[in-house]
Amino acid sequence: MKYLFQFLCVFSVAVLTGCIHELPVPPSGSKPRAVVYSELVAGKKVEMRIGKSKSVGQDVDNNFETITDATVQLQDMNGTLLEQLHYVKDTSTNMAFYRGNTRIESNRAYKVKVEMPGVGLATAFPVTPGPIKVELQDTLRTTLNGRPVLRFHFNIQGSSAKQFIVMEALKQMVQLDTVFFYNQQRYRVRDRRALFNQVKDLPGVTFYKDTLYLNSYLRIPCYTQDENADNNQVGGLNENYNSILFTQNSNKPLNTLLYINATALTAGSTEGGDPPIGRVLVNVKSVSPDYYNFLLTYEKVRRNPGLNSLIQAIQLRNNVANGLGIVGGCSQMSYSLYYDKL
């Protein structure tokens, strides 16, 4: 019987191995489409990430090419041009970075138009919610399921309309530099180091340390123990998430606890020296419904990134007509925490 069992095991492995075939990716004739990602935050200047989709295939470089010649416009709902955004070189991402000087208003509808050669016109109609009212009750260093965490106790006031609440934590990278003044001119050492070394000891030359906050962020894992969180639709209360999500009914306050991973607060606190030097940002947001649906489905996709025939495919929500991506409206309260020596 022992030999029969061993034979059956070997036979089963052989059969399963024989059923595995590497299938080539079929060719695709689809045309490229505009890819637009933006979070329009009330009170902040408009920024957008722009790219161009690619067909999936063998030996295809799936990195976005940098699109520097796109026409990116922010309009009001009537089509009146508010501003045409300009391209800004940014090496922190493969997508092209476009920026404007218009500050986004809360409780307002906008129209976004993106046009690039060979792709055509893509549009989105984001709406920014009204101002969010948040009270931070207290913070506490503690543990959660054996993990060191920092706990935040938030109370979010209700609104006359349903609110879609998003909580997240980020580590914003910083660059430490020195500014010096020579012959009534202002310089940065990182740009003119040779000159600084030459003149730093001369009379009248002054300098001071400076901190530059970069447009580069790392996400800090977040946790919740609140059964009313929509994250329960995704993976339960013991999972870590990019963001904690709530649907807040009208005129009903939300009193909840947010936990963030404490090992990500201080530079060099983990093996290998990560995370880098920066400041911690904890954001509590009220976002537009389509943006909320995108973030919720993204949490689901994170838990099923590959192709598995036993799991139903999840499609990311999209609100860019004739394109791909999301342009979301957002009103937020942001809390800055400084653990690193800057």
Side-chain angles (χ1 to χ4, degrees):
M1 190 68 182
K2 176 181 177 182
Y3 298 107
L4 177 60
F5 176 75
Q6 291 178 341
F7 173 77
L8 288 175
C9 289
V10 173
F11 178 76
S12 299
V13 171
V15 170
L16 290 174
T17 304
C19 293
I20 298 175
H21 296 282
E22 184 174 334
L23 299 177
V25 177
S28 173
S30 61
K31 296 181 179 179
R33 302 166 72 182
V35 181
V36 185
Y37 282 99
S38 178
E39 184 180 63
L40 301 183
V41 182
K44 292 190 175 184
K45 294 181 179 180
V46 55
E47 297 178 350
M48 296 189 191
R49 301 284 182 181
I50 306 298
K52 187 192 304 185
S53 68
K54 286 186 174 182
S55 299
V56 177
Q58 290 181 317
D59 301 323
V60 173
D61 182 3
N62 290 323
N63 289 323
F64 284 112
E65 59 181 290
T66 303
I67 308 298
T68 62
D69 56 351
T71 301
V72 183
Q73 294 184 349
L74 180 70
Q75 303 178 354
D76 66 14
M77 277 300 295
N78 297 320
T80 302
L81 178 64
L82 299 176
E83 185 177 10
Q84 181 160 313
L85 280 60
H86 58 277
Y87 168 75
V88 179
K89 187 176 181 180
D90 184 3
T91 58
S92 66
T93 176
N94 288 330
M95 297 186 71
F97 183 49
Y98 284 76
R99 175 186 290 160
N101 293 314
T102 301
R103 292 194 179 274
I104 299 299
E105 299 177 18
S106 62
N107 202 22
R108 183 173 180 181
Y110 291 94
K111 181 179 181 180
V112 170
K113 293 179 64 176
V114 176
E115 192 168 11
M116 62 184 70
V119 174
L121 177 66
T123 57
F125 298 89
V127 178
T128 54
I132 185 172
K133 298 178 181 179
V134 184
E135 294 180 4
L136 175 58
Q137 305 291 332
D138 59 56
T139 61
L140 177 67
R141 280 279 194 129
T142 183
T143 58
L144 178 68
N145 297 326
R147 308 181 191 94
V149 294
L150 181 61
R151 190 195 76 184
F152 296 81
H153 183 187
F154 288 116
N155 183 38
I156 304 172
Q157 296 184 23
S159 172
S160 58
K162 182 182 290 186
Q163 293 189 120
F164 298 91
I165 305 300
V166 177
M167 302 178 183
E168 66 179 6
L170 308 169
K171 187 75 178 282
Q172 184 179 18
M173 305 300 98
V174 301
Q175 186 176 72
L176 305 181
D177 199 7
T178 299
V179 174
F180 69 100
F181 293 87
Y182 171 63
N183 283 344
Q184 300 181 341
Q185 296 293 321
R186 181 178 183 271
Y187 302 96
R188 289 194 175 274
V189 169
R190 64 187 175 96
D191 299 327
R192 302 296 297 273
R193 182 168 295 276
L195 177 62
F196 175 73
N197 292 334
Q198 179 183 348
V199 305
K200 62 181 179 180
D201 296 325
L202 295 179
V205 175
T206 59
F207 51 90
Y208 64 88
K209 298 291 184 181
D210 191 23
T211 301
L212 298 176
Y213 293 99
L214 306 178
N215 193 29
S216 180
Y217 302 86
L218 292 177
R219 286 202 171 271
I220 298 176
C222 297
Y223 311 90
T224 183
Q225 295 292 287
D226 195 325
E227 294 181 352
N228 294 316
D230 288 336
N231 300 75
N232 274 325
Q233 304 176 23
V234 180
L237 297 178
N238 293 321
E239 298 284 336
N240 72 79
Y241 298 94
N242 279 352
S243 54
I244 304 301
L245 306 157
F246 289 91
T247 301
Q248 184 181 14
N249 292 325
S250 57
N251 299 314
K252 184 177 180 180
L254 174 61
N255 194 17
T256 192
L257 301 176
L258 169 71
Y259 303 86
I260 70 174
N261 192 318
T263 61
L265 301 179
T266 307
S269 59
T270 60
E271 186 177 353
D274 290 330
I277 294 176
R279 65 175 175 179
V280 175
L281 300 177
V282 176
N283 300 321
V284 182
K285 308 176 180 181
S286 173
V287 302
S288 54
D290 48 1
Y291 188 28
Y292 187 84
N293 290 333
F294 169 82
L295 294 173
L296 184 59
T297 54
Y298 181 77
E299 292 289 353
K300 296 178 181 179
V301 170
R302 281 184 64 226
R303 280 150 181 79
N304 180 30
L307 298 177
N308 188 328
S309 60
L310 301 179
I311 300 177
Q312 184 176 1
I314 301 170
Q315 182 177 2
L316 276 174
R317 299 298 179 92
N318 168 62
N319 70 348
V320 179
N322 197 35
L324 301 170
I326 189 76
V327 182
C330 171
S331 174
Q332 74 176 22
M333 286 287 293
S334 186
Y335 301 87
S336 300
L337 307 173
Y338 298 85
Y339 289 91
D340 297 331
K341 185 177 180 181
L342 304 179

